[in-house]
Amino acid sequence: MLIRQLEYLVALSREQHFTRAAEACHVSQPALSEAIRKLEIELDLPLIVRGRKFEGLTPEGEQIVRWARRIVADQQSLHREAAALRTGVTGTLRLGVVPTASATVADLTGPLCLRHPLVTVNLSEDLPSAEITGRLDRFELDGGITYLDPDIDARYRTFPLYREHYELLTSENSGVATGSTVSWREAATLPMCTLPSMMRGRRILDEFFANDGATHTPQIETDSIASLYAHVKTGQWAAVIPRVWRQVFGEPAGVRCTPLDSDLDAPVIGLITAREGRSSTLVRALESTAVTLDQVSSAPPIDR
């Protein structure tokens, strides 16, 4: 059995297409198909449902591909570990980020790259929490920045970064009274531009509205920070944003931020990494950087 054969199987499972899998592995499609056929012979198991085109993995293939992902990931970690022993921490770190944390991910990647100049970071941003955990489970990501819900704490290594407090973003001529705070019930009366309903960040906002006895039906849904700000600036919509966005972007001309008042605990955003297996040098460097940024355990709760 060759690592190359397992890489081909993993690629086929991910791409769900022989030609795309071959292109991803930089080989011809016949070469990939033949390597997987030989793997089936060696394991004495049917791995692929064969037809005129790729129709999926067999039940046996689904189990084998889970082992293959782990073995391929371990082999990649071995190479990174050897490189780190030669030259220091090096390699490409793959990091998934939920939309609300896109404005603050540099707080983590900046110090990491300063400490380890040979490290490069590949960011997959604006991902739903479920997509981040799924890619982490499939060894397609080395870490993720997401909400540290109880089920996340139980399944992954977690490193709190900050609490997510909220503000109401409106145009200056929206008619919202200038004051120290605004209630979620008051915010619910405005036409809203929000994150898509599949996003964990959006569901958290729904919980805050419901806690104040209110519901909201957004007219615009977007996972783009730029699009959200642009819609609010027209004066037709309002939006609820994490307070950290104002500290990164300020208050652009024509818009205003007003803190939202709630008795619910602010959710925690943090780094997650795989719980099982031995962490690579690269992941350990990421984790140690996150520990130095933890602003959640300090008292009182931070208000970034």
Side-chain angles (χ1 to χ4, degrees), residues 194-246:
T194 70
L195 294 171
S197 57
M198 67 176 180
M199 296 287 187
R200 177 66 181 118
R202 162 67 182 284
R203 296 197 297 274
I204 288 174
L205 297 188
D206 291 345
E207 293 167 8
F208 274 76
F209 277 111
N211 182 66
D212 203 16
T215 59
H216 73 299
T217 304
Q219 189 175 19
I220 303 292
E221 293 188 350
T222 177
D223 59 7
S224 165
I225 296 176
S227 178
L228 188 146
Y229 270 84
H231 279 86
V232 171
K233 195 170 182 179
T234 67
Q236 293 180 250
W237 295 278
V240 176
I241 64 170
R243 192 172 300 172
V244 292
W245 288 11
R246 174 163 57 88

Side-chain angles (χ1 to χ4, degrees), residues 113-129:
C113 292
L114 282 174
R115 293 180 180 185
H116 307 288
L118 298 179
V119 169
T120 58
V121 181
N122 183 295
L123 292 175
S124 297
E125 299 185 87
D126 300 336
L127 295 180
S129 295

Side-chain angles (χ1 to χ4, degrees), residues 123-295:
L123 292 175
S124 297
E125 299 185 87
D126 300 336
L127 295 180
S129 295
E131 178 71 11
I132 290 175
T133 55
R135 291 193 188 185
L136 198 56
D137 292 344
R138 296 191 299 271
F139 304 98
E140 296 171 6
L141 290 175
D142 301 301
I145 299 179
T146 186
Y147 295 94
L148 301 190
D149 296 329
D151 66 312
I152 294 291
D153 281 326
R155 296 165 54 198
Y156 302 96
R157 289 170 56 79
T158 59
F159 303 84
L161 296 175
Y162 62 91
R163 290 189 179 275
E164 189 173 80
H165 298 275
Y166 300 106
E167 295 187 335
L168 180 66
L169 183 70
T170 59
S171 67
E172 289 182 341
N173 59 358
S174 66
V176 174
T178 302
S180 58
T181 62
V182 63
S183 72
W184 289 82
R185 185 187 295 270
E186 291 170 318
T189 64
L190 301 173
M192 281 283 174
C193 176
T194 70
L195 294 171
S197 57
M198 67 176 180
M199 296 287 187
R200 177 66 181 118
R202 162 67 182 284
R203 296 197 297 274
I204 288 174
L205 297 188
D206 291 345
E207 293 167 8
F208 274 76
F209 277 111
N211 182 66
D212 203 16
T215 59
H216 73 299
T217 304
Q219 189 175 19
I220 303 292
E221 293 188 350
T222 177
D223 59 7
S224 165
I225 296 176
S227 178
L228 188 146
Y229 270 84
H231 279 86
V232 171
K233 195 170 182 179
T234 67
Q236 293 180 250
W237 295 278
V240 176
I241 64 170
R243 192 172 300 172
V244 292
W245 288 11
R246 174 163 57 88
Q247 298 195 357
V248 173
F249 302 119
E251 288 189 356
V255 302
R256 183 173 67 221
C257 295
T258 307
L260 280 156
D261 186 31
S262 178
D263 57 4
L264 288 180
D265 290 335
V268 176
I269 293 282
L271 169 71
I272 65 171
T273 58
R275 182 179 292 277
E276 296 183 359
R278 184 174 181 273
S279 297
S280 68
T281 301
L282 190 57
V283 171
R284 291 198 301 274
L286 176 68
E287 293 173 343
S288 65
T289 302
V291 168
T292 67
L293 302 176
D294 179 6
Q295 300 187 42

Side-chain angles (χ1 to χ4, degrees), residues 58-108:
T58 64
E60 297 88 346
E62 293 288 355
Q63 294 188 51
I64 295 300
V65 80
R66 286 196 286 270
W67 281 98
R69 291 191 188 109
R70 182 180 299 276
I71 293 168
V72 170
D74 284 345
Q75 189 239 14
Q76 293 170 347
S77 295
L78 173 61
H79 283 292
R80 288 197 293 263
E81 194 83 15
L85 291 173
R86 293 192 304 270
T87 62
V89 180
T90 186
T92 298
L93 182 79
R94 303 161 301 172
L95 195 61
V97 186
V98 293
T100 57
S102 294
T104 58
V105 65
D107 291 345
L108 177 61

